[in-house]
């Protein structure tokens, strides 16, 4: 069937008098277009007929047909010719100005649909925008356009501005959007004004500055005057808030003119205006926190004033919460106050907006927590009993934000006063009291009034579940900040909790039960037993009832509460609740259909009963273990319980035997999941035999463990070797024959595997140590067997260093074979023309001798050391490296004899200097630090060979931190006792060495050198300004090390360091050079390494010094990262975005900048165009960068932007629908 015939048949369907046929014809047309977008290529007449028929159905009398026609137009607009597109736009514009209301609405919907479906790129898009925008703007400018049409037209313009800002901001566009839309701010219909405000705010970011200034002078500033018309002032305030939300930078120059007007307008007697002003101030705080700083005092005052605004409440301001609480108590006389129902009173909106305003202050100004606790916290507490439920919940949520900020930032200096207190001691007692005023101390002083006000609101039986849930969540947050602070409130807490838990959890109240139980668990964990012991008789029955509930999450949480209670009251000698808890847990474990989470929590409760209430559980006879130690289903929790009890409780050997048998049964299962935990449990159990491991156990256990002695799973190999080692230690007689017969041959093969490293290698060395200790005679067989196995293996699959380590461990555990081993392998090291030793044999011999030299004094084998030094001149690189390793380790055995010899080689033979330094690096220790550090530097610094980066890096890595600390201490000081680069280089000769010294010392997490570093660190980090690019990079790396391991040393200096750090993040065109590579030119950025190090440092600071970062400045620079020319820095920028979006504190600030991030993210997502010169690596690199961008966008999309980022929302929606990467993006989003 040809396309023409198919389209004609669809046209016939759409012309049918039957509405179902018309609907199905449109539906089939849409399916065909989606399947084959080239349906109309080369057939313009058919295209015209189809398009006209679809347009005619927009006027259909059946609504379903009209809606389907609109959807069909959205698909057609992507594939039709430009001339046809003009027909569609003209037709829909004509429909929208007609008198038929239904046709006008459906045409408006069609215009929005085709605007939304226009492709972002392509030839049709500019033409469509050029045709559509003037038509829409003319319609907006027409005074006779009906209000409903205006609203739809403005909505379409909003979509056009959001998706195609470049086309709509074209200077040649007539009429221009700002002059056309601005007059609508005076329209008589509020809905039109509201829509005009939104459209204007979306256009302002891309509008020419001249037009924006005209908008400010003619439509904003005049109407912020104190005597301005109320209606126009309301509209103006809403417009200001919308522009700040969309483009705060456009208003930054005139904030000093705008914000005072908004602040004064709050005091006018108009509720709607007040609410708008307060919302505008909230937006200002969230979008421009730095610019809002100068108005902060007035903003806080407004928030504190209007959070109490309740003109219909006649009570006094002071003690308002207590009076409201009393009103709640008197249910009969003042029932009207329980549920505030005056529909005409909108004052609650002002109180709610004021509460959100204070929440914005708390969120954006964590450094002012101390003053916020003095000024804002008491006001919030006084409004805990607000009569309007939504306001009350908003107040509690705001106080929760204050607690979260305190938890994150409360331990750090809060003001200049506190900072100065760290530098000098206050003398006056009053001043000392001020120093002690921290957010924590101020919160503690307010806990009493806070808890009373909150609990007063919760105790009423009429309190709805959402309010109770919010109350328990706030109490939970309070305990998270101040553990143990509710000791005096146990009685009302127990009463309220009891009343909540007595009710069975329903679908609507299960969240309340969970919040209540979670709080009780935290209360038990953070308070002394004496605090709540008197309330246990009242609480334990309802907690036991909750543990028996059918709702799985409620039952699980109840068992967690009991676990917290058991650990808090440990040891429990007697208690009826413990007996009943055991019965409840055992019942759950005995039932086969118990929910997995409930079962796991019940198992944990049994473990806690054994650990904390042994006297209660021991008489039960251990029947619970039959239910716990099952072989079917999920056994991970049971394994964890057995491990926990075995580690903490003295159990009988019979119990250990039964558990070992059960564990070995689980080990036979083929699934890999949970095997590491099983091995850990087995290790714990084997060590708990009071009378020793039974002799019949190793013969049965070793064969079962043999399958795991393999490099297939390195993690399980480590665990399996650990178990064999434990058996060799605890039961050597019975274990050794089995190991020799079953495992030793396989372990020889594993010993030379390059896959074995880290924990697996440590376990392997421990195994050989235990093996030799179990039978000292085996050492003479193990050493040659290990060497022979390595020699026979494929050289590409052999790690000779591992073999040498194993042999070294064997010899160290059986030193009787040391002399023979040294003699055997020393003969392979002799350099002579007659030597037939292969390279691998020589390398292995050198490595073995090096390993033995660590613990054996080889001063009597001087020839061996001399032969090692001679191998420094070998032709093979691997022999030279092995010789340096051996020489350095031999020196450890006798520093006085061998260290001078290595130093002499370093000084006398330039060709062997680097290898000598590698040898010294191997032998570095605290003794070397005292004996040889100055000699090494003197023999290296200041010489031409030291100028090579490889040589300097070797010297830097050679010396341990004590050496660097020693050198730093002895750097000369000038008269002012400050360090200068000149004085340091007199000792170390090179600035890179200076910075490396501090960097290596900072790498130590130990606080040993903190006092020394505190006085030096800023002098060293000042090298960030050095002219040498390499020095700057090393200084940035040192700052990164400090931020990671010693943030306390730099935190207070960040205001000085951050501007320099931000400066290094900028692309410096002077450092970019062009390199000719054959017929191609390639740009090389010499500043990339330093820039990358700067971004990595900022990523570290985000983890360790978040409180010292100004988020607005941080985010401004982050925009540069995601548009950097380097893909590596783009990826770091994406990681920073993901990290910021995951934090509740930073995500609020990030939400306001999403639209600014969108263009760069969108550009990276699209990638560069594929040309004939594009190679496969470029395509793969672009795909990986796109995946990085998608991960960042997916993380950002989880932020609640509350509609403040339409561009970003549109970008996310476009990405979801994208044919190329939409599927992968939807998977990242999780739906």
């Amino acid at each position: 069937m040809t396309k023409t015939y198919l389209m004609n048949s669809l046209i016939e369907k759409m012309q049918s008098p039957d509405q179902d046929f018309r609907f199905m014809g449109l539906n089939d047309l849409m399916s065909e277009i989606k399947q084959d977008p080239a349906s109309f290529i080369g057939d313009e007449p058919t295209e015209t007929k189809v398009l006209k028929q679809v347009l005619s159905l927009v006027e259909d009398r059946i609504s379903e047909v009209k809606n389907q026609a609109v959807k069909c137009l959205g698909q057609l607009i992507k594939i039709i010719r430009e001339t046809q597109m003009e027909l569609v736009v003209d037709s829909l514009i004509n429909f929208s100005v007609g008198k038929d209301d239904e046709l006008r609405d459906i045409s408006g919907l069609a215009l929005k649909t085709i605007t939304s479906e226009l492709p972002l790129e392509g030839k049709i898009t500019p033409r469509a925008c050029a045709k559509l925008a003037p038509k829409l703007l003319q319609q907006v400018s027409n005074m006779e356009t009906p209000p409903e049409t205006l609203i739809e037209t403005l909505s379409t313009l909003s979509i056009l501005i959001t998706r195609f800002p470049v086309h709509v901001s074209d200077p040649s566009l007539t009429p221009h959007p700002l002059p056309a839309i601005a007059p609508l701010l005076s329209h008589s219909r509020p809905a039109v004004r509201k829509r005009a405000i939104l459209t204007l705010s979306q256009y302002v970011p891309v509008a020419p500055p001249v037009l924006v200034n005209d908008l400010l002078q003619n439509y904003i500033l005049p109407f912020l005057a104190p005597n301005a018309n109320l209606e126009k002032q309301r509209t103006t305030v809403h417009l200001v808030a919308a522009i700040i939300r969309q483009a705060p930078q456009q208003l930054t120059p005139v904030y000093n003119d705008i914000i005072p007007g908004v602040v004064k307008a709050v005091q006018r007697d108009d509720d709607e205006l007040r609410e708008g002003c307060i919302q505008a101030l909230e937006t200002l705080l969230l979008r421009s926190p730095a610019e809002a700083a100068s108005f902060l005092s007035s903003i806080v005052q407004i928030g504190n004033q209007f959070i109490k605004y309740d003109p219909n409440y006649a009570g006094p301001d002071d003690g308002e919460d207590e009076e409201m609480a009393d009103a709640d108590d008197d249910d009969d006389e003042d029932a009207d106050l329980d549920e505030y129902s005056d529909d005409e009173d909108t004052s609650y909106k002002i109180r709610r907006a004021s509460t959100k305003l204070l929440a914005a202050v708390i969120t954006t100004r964590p450094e002012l927590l101390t003053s916020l606790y003095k000024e804002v916290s008491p006001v919030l507490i006084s409004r805990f009993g607000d009569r309007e439920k939504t306001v009350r919940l908003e107040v509690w949520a705001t106080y929760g934000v204050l607690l979260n900020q305190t938890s994150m930032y409360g331990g750090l200096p809060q003001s200049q006063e506190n900072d100065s207190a760290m530098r000098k001691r206050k003398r006056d007692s009053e001043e000392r009291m001020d120093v002690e005023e921290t957010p924590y101390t101020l919160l503690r002083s307010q806990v009493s009034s806070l808890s009373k006000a909150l609990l007063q609101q919760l105790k009423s039986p009429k309190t709805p579940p959402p309010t109770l849930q919010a109350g328990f969540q706030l109490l939970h947050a309070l305990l998270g900040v101040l553990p143990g602070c509710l000791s005096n409130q146990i009685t009302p807490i127990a009463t309220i909790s009891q009343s909540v838990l007595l009710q069975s959890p329903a679908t609507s109240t299960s969240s309340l039960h969970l919040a209540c139980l979670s709080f009780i668990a935290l209360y038990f964990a953070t308070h002394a037993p004496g605090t709540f012991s008197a309330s246990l008789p009242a609480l334990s029955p309802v907690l036991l009832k909750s543990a028996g509930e059918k709702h799985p999450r409620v039952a699980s949480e109840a068992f967690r509460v009991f676990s917290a209670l058991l650990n808090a009251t440990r040891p429990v000698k007697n208690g009826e609740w413990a007996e009943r808890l055991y019965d409840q847990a055992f019942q759950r474990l005995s039932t086969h259909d118990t929910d997995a989470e409930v079962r796991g929590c019940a198992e944990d409760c049994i473990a806690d009963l054994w650990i904390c209430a042994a006297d209660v559980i021991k008489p039960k006879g251990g029947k619970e273990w039959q239910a716990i130690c099952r072989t079917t289903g999920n056994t991970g929790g049971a394994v964890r319980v057995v491990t926990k009890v075995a580690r903490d409780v003295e159990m009988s050997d019979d119990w250990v035997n039964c558990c070992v048998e059960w564990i070995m049964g689980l080990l036979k299962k083929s699934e890999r999941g949970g095997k590491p935990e099983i091995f850990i449990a087995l290790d714990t159990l084997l060590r708990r035999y009071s009378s020793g491991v039974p002799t019949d156990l190793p013969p049965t256990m070793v064969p079962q463990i043999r399958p795991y002695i393999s490099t297939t799973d390195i993690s399980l190999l480590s665990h399996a070797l650990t178990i064999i080692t434990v058996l060799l230690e605890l039961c050597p007689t019975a274990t050794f024959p089995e190991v020799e017969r079953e495992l030793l041959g396989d372990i020889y093969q594993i010993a030379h595997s390059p896959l074995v490293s880290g924990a697996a290698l440590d376990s392997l060395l421990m195994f050989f140590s235990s093996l030799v200790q179990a039978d000292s005679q085996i050492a003479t067989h193990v050493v040659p067997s290990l060497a022979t196995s390595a020699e026979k293996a494929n050289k590409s699959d052999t790690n000779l260093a591992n073999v040498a380590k194993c042999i070294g461990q064997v010899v160290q555990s059986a030193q009787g074979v040391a002399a023979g081993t040294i003699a055997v392998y020393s003969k392979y090291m002799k350099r002579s023309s007659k030597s037939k030793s292969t390279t691998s044999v020589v390398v292995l011999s050198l490595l073995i001798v090096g390993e033995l030299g660590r613990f054996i004094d080889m001063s009597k084998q001087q020839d061996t050391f001399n032969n090692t030094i001679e191998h420094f001149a070998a032709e093979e690189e691997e022999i030279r490296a092995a010789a340096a390793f051996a020489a350095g380790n031999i020196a450890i055995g006798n520093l006085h004899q061998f260290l001078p010899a290595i130093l002499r080689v370093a000084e006398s033979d330039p060709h062997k200097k680097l290898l000598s330094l590698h040898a010294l690096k191997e032998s570095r220790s605290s003794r070397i630090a005292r004996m040889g550090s100055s000699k090494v530097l003197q023999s290296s610094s200041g010489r031409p060979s030291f100028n090579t980066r490889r040589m300097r890096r070797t010297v830097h890595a050679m010396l341990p931190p004590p050496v660097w600390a020693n050198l730093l201490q002895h750097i000369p000081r000038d008269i002012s006792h400050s360090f200068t680069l000149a004085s340091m280089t007199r000792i170390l000769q090179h600035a890179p060495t200076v910075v490396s010294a501090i960097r290596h010392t900072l790498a130590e997490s130990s606080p040993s050198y903190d006092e020394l570093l505190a006085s030096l660190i800023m002098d060293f980090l000042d090298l960030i300004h050095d002219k040498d690019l390499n020095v700057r990079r090393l200084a940035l790396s040192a700052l990164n090390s400090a931020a990671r391991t010693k943030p306390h040393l730099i935190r207070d200096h960040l205001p000085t360091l951050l501007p320099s750090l931000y400066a290094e993040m900028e692309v410096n065109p002077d450092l970019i050079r062009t390199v000719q590579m054959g017929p191609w030119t390639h740009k090389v950025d010499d500043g990339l390494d330093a820039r990358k190090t700067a971004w990595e440092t900022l990523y570290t600071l985000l983890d360790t010094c978040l409180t010292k970062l100004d988020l607005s400045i941080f985010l401004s620079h982050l925009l540069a990262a995601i548009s950097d020319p380097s893909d590596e820095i783009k990826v770091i920028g994406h990681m920073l975005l993901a990290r910021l979006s995951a934090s509740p504190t930073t995500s609020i600030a990030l939400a306001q900048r999403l639209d600014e991030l969108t263009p760069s993210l969108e550009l990276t997502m699209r990638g560069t165009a594929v040309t004939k010169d594009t190679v496969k690596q470029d395509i793969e690199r672009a795909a990986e960068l796109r995946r990085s961008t998608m991960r960042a966008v997916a993380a950002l999309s989880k932020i609640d932007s509350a509609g403040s980022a339409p561009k970003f929302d549109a970008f996310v929606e476009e990405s979801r629908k994208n044919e190329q990467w939409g599927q992968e993006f939807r998977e990242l989003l999780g739906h």
Side-chain angles (χ1 to χ4, degrees), residues 465-466 468-476 497 500-501 509-522 553-554 557 561:
L468 285 168
Q469 181 180 341
F472 279 117
Q473 289 171 343
L474 183 56
L475 289 171
H476 191 283
S497 301
V500 168
L501 297 177
T509 61
S510 59
S511 298
L512 169 60
H513 280 70
L514 292 172
C516 178
L517 290 168
S518 177
F519 165 70
I520 295 173
L522 184 60
R553 292 186 62 195
V554 172
E557 198 63 43
V561 172

Side-chain angles (χ1 to χ4, degrees), residues 159 191 245 283 286 290 395 740 1169:
I159 298 171
R245 188 177 297 112
T283 306
L286 294 174
V395 171
E740 187 178 22

Side-chain angles (χ1 to χ4, degrees), residues 735-747:
T735 307
F736 180 81
E738 296 296 326
V739 171
E740 187 178 22
R741 182 174 64 254
E742 298 280 346
L743 303 179
L744 205 51
D746 294 335
I747 293 176

